[in-house]
Amino acid sequence: MFQLDTISLYIHIPWCLKKCGYCDFYSYVSKEKIPEEQYIEHLLKDFEKDLHLIHHKNIKTIFIGGGTPSLLKSSSIKKLINGIKKRAVISKNTEISIEANPTTIESKRFLNYQMAGINRFSLGIQTFNEAGLKKIERTYNKKEAIQSIKILKQVNNNINIDLMYGLPNQSLEEALLDLQCAIQWNPNHISWYQFTLEPNTIFYSKKIITPHEDLIFKMFTQGDKLLKKSGYKKYEISSYAKFNKQCKHNLNYWHYGDYIGLGCGAHGKITQKNGKIIRTLKNKNINCFLNGNYLHSINMVSKKDKIFEYFMNVFRLYEPVFKQHFTKKTNIEITKIEKDIQIAIKKGFLIDYLDYWKTTKQGKLFLNSLLKIFL
């Protein structure tokens, strides 16, 4: 579990080859050459402006996400990581991850990524099914997806494969075949999450039809059994890992840890010395960002929101929620939430132990209902 003297760093690379119809992340399809060298310089200046928020904390994890960060040259990644090391203290065992798209993976460049300090690769496959890839508007085919895994396995075995179930017109057999295909490559980590239609996306406006909820539940339960049978331990609602290979960066989020967000549209959460929590949002406009206007807003998190945010994160995990951890992370006494805890217990969502709470199987299945209690 993360200590209060550590912090994570999220870095957003906004460019993509194509905007997928289901994606609600901030991304920018550039028809011209990406100004990556200029962007890296501004990322480091953005970091310098946020250094006063870190309060001399060690950086425990770094996650380079997007967008498609693997569009960047290895020299840009090296400059970025070296620039961060010059400006802050990075632990020796820092997990440094980068997201990658199958069409951008080249053996030499990814070897150079690793030499620059990247030690974990997150590969956004989503599905190996040819028809499924076309339906969700991915820019590669099954052969390219498998080839990208082969290349990464030669570089580093510390790989995560992202897969989605509940895709438009997907069958149970197709969903399980995706998992079987990923498992045969023996990655350290597999993210197995439900395809959802998020507001403000193209697919949402088109009212794309997804499988019936009963079929989606079968995909979830049978996929869960297959992953566990194959040696993957479920440690979060959508995350499965080999022994001791959990994503440390995401664990920091789910433990309600602190993190700095750098780059267009990046979010940050930082606990102050007085126990108050602030949230930062960086400018989404790429031109404004490249002109040095980094910060869009900074807000104080209210007590009510802290309670909800805390449980929204920790209840995703398959581990006890220690009462002492709640007070340490929120600076709120247990007495303030006793009534809500009792309601959750009566509904069968929580079990109350002396030092911790634990979500029941029903609590995990009806997580949204559990969280509504704390709204």
Side-chain angles (χ1 to χ4, degrees):
M1 191 174 294
F2 275 54
Q3 304 300 315
L4 290 176
D5 60 348
T6 61
I7 195 165
S8 289
L9 184 59
Y10 173 77
I11 303 169
H12 192 72
I13 309 299
W15 292 283
C16 271
L17 294 170
K18 182 182 183 298
K19 181 76 172 178
C20 297
Y22 64 86
C23 180
D24 68 334
F25 291 106
Y26 174 68
S27 60
Y28 180 77
V29 180
S30 179
K31 296 179 180 179
E32 301 175 358
K33 185 180 177 182
I34 295 172
E36 58 182 279
E37 292 181 10
Q38 186 183 2
Y39 189 68
I40 296 299
E41 289 175 3
H42 281 281
L43 281 175
L44 294 173
K45 289 178 181 178
D46 183 17
F47 186 42
E48 287 174 0
K49 289 195 172 184
D50 278 356
L51 281 175
H52 71 283
L53 298 172
I54 293 178
H55 304 305
H56 306 292
K57 293 180 180 180
N58 289 3
I59 294 176
K60 189 71 175 177
T61 69
I62 299 172
F63 195 99
I64 305 172
T68 309
S70 53
L71 286 172
L72 298 190
K73 294 180 290 188
S74 55
S75 57
S76 296
I77 295 297
K78 183 179 180 180
K79 182 178 179 180
L80 175 62
I81 294 174
N82 286 343
I84 292 166
K85 287 180 178 178
K86 288 177 182 177
R87 292 163 172 81
V89 178
I90 295 180
S91 305
K92 288 183 179 179
N93 60 343
T94 295
E95 175 191 88
I96 307 179
S97 306
I98 191 169
E99 290 182 334
N101 183 299
T103 55
T104 63
I105 293 178
E106 300 166 2
S107 181
K108 184 178 180 181
R109 183 150 50 91
F110 273 73
L111 279 169
N112 287 334
Y113 278 178
Q114 181 168 262
M115 289 174 67
I118 303 291
N119 51 32
R120 185 177 183 274
F121 298 91
S122 186
L123 188 56
I125 298 290
Q126 315 313 348
T127 178
F128 292 97
N129 184 279
E130 293 281 5
L133 286 166
K134 289 179 181 178
K135 285 174 186 174
I136 61 172
E137 302 179 350
R138 300 299 279 177
T139 58
Y140 49 86
N141 56 38
K142 179 180 178 179
K143 184 179 178 181
E144 290 171 323
I146 291 173
Q147 182 63 21
S148 69
I149 298 173
K150 287 181 180 179
I151 291 171
L152 282 182
K153 290 283 286 186
Q154 293 171 356
V155 175
N156 191 326
N157 195 49
N158 198 16
I159 300 169
N160 167 63
I161 293 178
D162 273 349
L163 290 175
M164 296 191 292
Y165 63 90
L167 297 170
N169 303 119
Q170 188 181 42
S171 67
L172 175 61
E173 292 73 21
E174 287 170 338
L176 295 179
L177 275 172
D178 275 343
L179 269 183
Q180 290 166 2
C181 190
I183 289 167
Q184 74 176 358
W185 291 102
N186 197 35
N188 283 338
H189 193 287
I190 295 177
S191 297
W192 167 247
Y193 56 98
Q194 184 181 337
F195 175 81
T196 54
L197 295 173
E198 300 291 347
N200 303 318
T201 62
I202 296 171
F203 280 11
Y204 185 85
S205 63
K206 288 182 177 180
K207 299 181 180 179
I208 298 293
I209 304 298
T210 55
H212 189 273
E213 60 183 18
D214 290 341
L215 177 55
I216 289 176
F217 186 70
K218 285 182 181 179
M219 293 175 181
F220 164 71
T221 54
Q222 292 191 33
D224 182 74
K225 287 179 182 178
L226 177 59
L227 282 158
K228 289 175 179 176
K229 186 180 178 181
S230 303
Y232 291 90
K233 183 178 180 181
K234 187 175 190 176
Y235 69 99
E236 185 267 343
I237 285 176
S238 306
S239 303
Y240 299 78
K242 295 285 188 177
F243 177 73
N244 205 31
K245 295 299 181 180
Q246 298 94 332
C247 178
K248 294 177 183 177
H249 186 85
N250 286 344
L251 277 173
N252 184 44
Y253 291 152
W254 298 323
H255 283 136
Y256 205 49
D258 287 344
Y259 56 96
I260 296 289
L262 303 181
C264 288
H267 292 261
K269 170 196 168 281
I270 307 100
T271 304
Q272 304 299 286
K273 290 181 180 180
N274 58 8
K276 293 182 179 180
I277 295 174
I278 60 170
R279 284 200 172 273
T280 59
L281 173 62
K282 297 303 170 62
N283 203 322
K284 287 185 177 182
N285 186 296
I286 185 66
N287 292 321
C288 287
F289 192 87
L290 293 176
N291 281 325
N293 300 316
Y294 310 130
L295 186 65
H296 176 269
S297 62
I298 183 166
N299 298 297
M300 196 75 68
V301 181
S302 68
K303 279 190 177 182
K304 189 176 180 180
D305 286 342
K306 274 199 286 186
I307 292 169
F308 178 73
E309 284 183 1
Y310 176 84
F311 287 119
M312 181 178 67
N313 283 282
V314 297
F315 281 159
R316 295 180 64 93
L317 293 166
Y318 283 79
E319 62 181 49
V321 179
F322 288 94
K323 298 175 182 180
Q324 186 180 11
H325 184 260
F326 169 80
T327 55
K328 183 183 287 187
K329 289 291 185 178
T330 64
N331 202 33
I332 297 171
E333 294 299 321
I334 300 293
T335 53
K336 300 291 184 182
I337 58 167
E338 280 181 346
K339 289 182 180 179
D340 293 332
I341 292 292
Q342 290 306 312
I343 292 171
I345 292 168
K346 287 178 182 178
K347 287 182 177 288
F349 296 151
L350 278 185
I351 301 174
D352 188 9
Y353 294 93
L354 180 63
D355 297 322
Y356 62 90
W357 304 290
K358 196 169 185 179
T359 49
T360 62
K361 186 177 181 180
Q362 187 176 354
K364 279 288 188 284
L365 288 174
F366 299 96
L367 184 59
N368 286 341
S369 298
L370 168 57
L371 291 173
K372 282 180 182 178
I373 296 169
F374 297 93
L375 270 174

